[in-house]
Amino acid sequence: MRLLVTGAAGMLGQDVVRAARARGWEPLPFARAELDVTDAAAVEAAIAAAAPDAVVNCAAWTDVDGAESDAAGAGAINATAAGVLARASAAAAARLVQVSTDYVFDGERGAPYVESDATAPRSVYGSTKLDGEHAVAAAGGSHAIARTQWLFGAGGRNFAATMLALGAERDEVTVVTDQLGLPTATAALAVALLELAAGESQGVHHLAGGGEPVSWHGFTLEIFRQAGLSCRVLPCTTAAMPRPAPRPAFSALASERPETPRLPPWQDGLAHYLERRKVHA
Ligand SMILES: NC(=O)c1ccc[n+]([C@@H]2O[C@H](COP(=O)([O-])OP(=O)(O)OC[C@H]3O[C@@H](n4cnc5c(N)ncnc54)[C@H](OP(=O)(O)O)[C@@H]3O)[C@@H](O)[C@H]2O)c1
């Protein structure tokens, strides 16, 4: 299986390439320097030349707060480029797995979101990612849209890495208690994305770490517990820590589709992540 990966130097992209290799597939990794997904002609040429069986789009504008002041920049990558990739993939008879986000929801439901729930993004980032989903669906090719959330992995900046650094140098940190979700290890997500790439199911799939939803505060407690850090974790509210982009309050993702791959509990993903950090320390 030839798997073309865009955004291949990103946190998730690196794990998708690694997982493909581990599965005996032939990964065709394109980092941003090798393929800028906003260059439509380059995307069409790369996909036509590579003739992949499937494409996983890990390229994205992921600066959630920065998107609020550059909607055009975020939309060019998250929406327009996703459509170009989808049409080029369809033309090459390659299946596309498009990675999307829990930020397509407003977080007001109060229970985990399933695939058929109505979307209502609260941020520019969420809106551009939803536009990307629509562009992929409209291209009409074989595709899966994988919504995920709260990613952490060895290959990039993320909340867990930030907390591990703070927890090692401070006596206490203050973390919000009123945003809940499911932390998701990119290593586990990558394996699930390959399942989707190998399958034939159309449309949206929700892929997040298994187990019970947790707040960022609760996630931090578990990070410190597993890492053996004695740093105190003080609670605070989102209102006390304003950011440019509003975040959904409760955005845990669950799946109502039997064919959607299920991920292991997020606590196991965290343990695996901490092991990997030790190996590479
Ligand atoms: N991180 C999360 O918590 C989270 C949650 C839900 C969904 N997601 C989704 O998961 C996917 C992967 O995110 P990630 O966490 O791995 O983020 P990431 O580490 O920021 O990776 C994104 C990659 O896309 C690349 N990129 C940006 N603009 C590009 C362009 N024009 N052409 C080609 N590549 C470009 C970036 O390159 P540069 O670094 O050089 O700009 C980066 O390597 C994204 O679709 C994101 O929306 C992430």
Side-chain angles (χ1 to χ4, degrees):
M1 176 102 162
R2 289 164 64 77
L3 187 78
L4 192 147
V5 182
T6 57
M11 182 167 71
L12 178 60
Q14 289 179 50
D15 272 338
V16 170
V17 171
R18 193 173 289 116
R21 214 164 264 136
R23 197 170 165 150
W25 290 5
E26 185 183 351
L28 308 165
F30 286 86
R32 182 181 196 152
E34 290 134 12
L35 181 62
D36 181 335
V37 294
T38 62
D39 182 341
V43 167
E44 286 156 11
I47 292 182
D53 299 296
V55 175
V56 181
N57 181 22
C58 296
W61 176 301
T62 53
D63 176 0
V64 174
D65 289 322
E68 293 295 311
S69 53
D70 190 356
I77 299 170
N78 292 346
T80 311
V84 170
L85 263 168
R87 289 188 291 277
S89 300
R95 179 167 164 78
L96 174 66
V97 179
Q98 166 71 8
V99 182
S100 193
T101 173
D102 57 327
Y103 282 27
V104 300
F105 296 113
D106 63 13
E108 300 299 318
R109 184 169 187 253
Y113 285 96
V114 294
E115 288 87 348
S116 60
D117 282 323
T119 53
R122 301 185 63 205
S123 60
V124 170
Y125 168 77
S127 295
T128 60
K129 294 291 290 184
L130 183 59
D131 289 346
E133 293 186 5
H134 294 155
V136 167
S142 169
H143 71 273
I145 292 163
R147 292 190 188 132
T148 188
Q149 64 184 141
W150 292 30
L151 297 188
F152 59 94
R157 289 175 50 201
N158 62 78
F159 179 86
T162 302
M163 285 302 143
L164 288 167
L166 290 177
E169 67 193 28
R170 293 194 190 168
D171 294 331
E172 59 186 40
V173 292
T174 304
V175 189
V176 298
T177 51
D178 55 358
Q179 284 174 42
L180 278 83
L182 284 164
T184 305
T186 52
L189 175 61
V191 172
L193 293 176
L194 297 194
E195 287 298 314
L196 289 182
E200 292 179 349
S201 61
Q202 283 291 95
V204 177
H205 294 265
H206 284 184
L207 299 176
E212 291 303 313
V214 68
S215 69
W216 290 113
H217 179 271
F219 184 30
T220 307
L221 287 173
E222 181 64 9
I223 293 167
F224 289 173
R225 191 191 69 76
Q226 288 200 18
L229 292 169
S230 55
C231 181
R232 276 195 308 276
V233 188
L234 306 179
C236 79
T237 63
T238 301
M241 287 201 169
R243 310 267 296 265
R247 267 72 176 167
F250 187 107
S251 61
L253 299 174
S255 182
E256 63 190 351
R257 300 184 65 174
E259 69 274 34
T260 299
R262 264 58 180 179
L263 273 61
W266 60 263
Q267 293 90 340
D268 294 358
L270 177 62
H272 178 254
Y273 166 72
L274 292 173
E275 273 308 308
R276 241 170 101 187
R277 281 174 57 102
K278 264 191 228 154
V279 171
H280 295 289

